[in-house]
Amino acid sequence: MSRSAVPGLPSRYPIGEQLPALYAEDDFAQRFTAGLDTVLAPVFATLDNLPAYLDPRVAPADFLAWLASWVGGADDPRRPLELRREATVRAMELHRGRGTARGLTEALRLVLGVGADVVGGGGATWSRTAGAELPPAPDAEVLIRVWPDRTARVDADRVRELVRTLCPVHTAYRVEVLAGPPTDDGR
């Protein structure tokens, strides 16, 4: 990310115009301050547009990864810019769903552009009856099936990397890559 001198960018606050009258007609003072204006113009432009920099929907593309890091979002510069923007905007919502099947499928859709289905979910149950029979043992692992949604292909390694960061640490999982959405019989 670089915010540096932009050739021809005028300063909204030229220093030469703010000098005392004694220097208003001094050629050296005007040229010297014009050089400073060239250096400061991008700084003023950035500060004048700061709200736009902090809004992921309109922030400069090179600023988006840094902005996503502020909210703990997953930003992948290989993804289309609009998906990256949406994932950054919805980062807090994704954090609320973290560790859930819904949160995982939504994160996979937003961050990697793949459809997903989560089968199994570990085991947590309760009963209103004291001393009730224990529930059956939960599945040994969670099955995460993914398929191309907005992409031509699915990168299984990137899916596993994202799933590893989003699943609870004690959860065993397996990623299965499908050619398309599963049918009604689950395949």
Side-chain angles (χ1 to χ4, degrees), residues 3 6 11 18 42-43 54-55 66 90 92 108 140 150:
R3 303 284 172 256
V6 178
S11 175
Q18 298 176 28
V43 174
L54 301 177
D55 184 350
W66 194 34
R90 296 185 55 204
M92 295 306 290
L108 286 166
R150 289 179 246 171

Side-chain angles (χ1 to χ4, degrees), residues 26-83:
D26 183 346
D27 183 53
F28 174 75
Q30 291 300 316
R31 284 185 293 125
F32 181 75
T33 58
L36 294 175
D37 288 338
T38 302
V39 173
L40 292 175
V43 174
F44 290 139
T46 300
L47 292 174
D48 288 345
N49 295 298
L50 192 58
Y53 278 84
L54 301 177
D55 184 350
R57 293 172 290 236
V58 294
D62 64 336
F63 196 78
L64 194 58
W66 194 34
L67 193 56
S69 73
W70 290 0
V71 292
D75 183 61
D76 184 353
R78 296 173 286 189
R79 298 290 307 137
L81 184 59
E82 289 310 311
L83 282 178

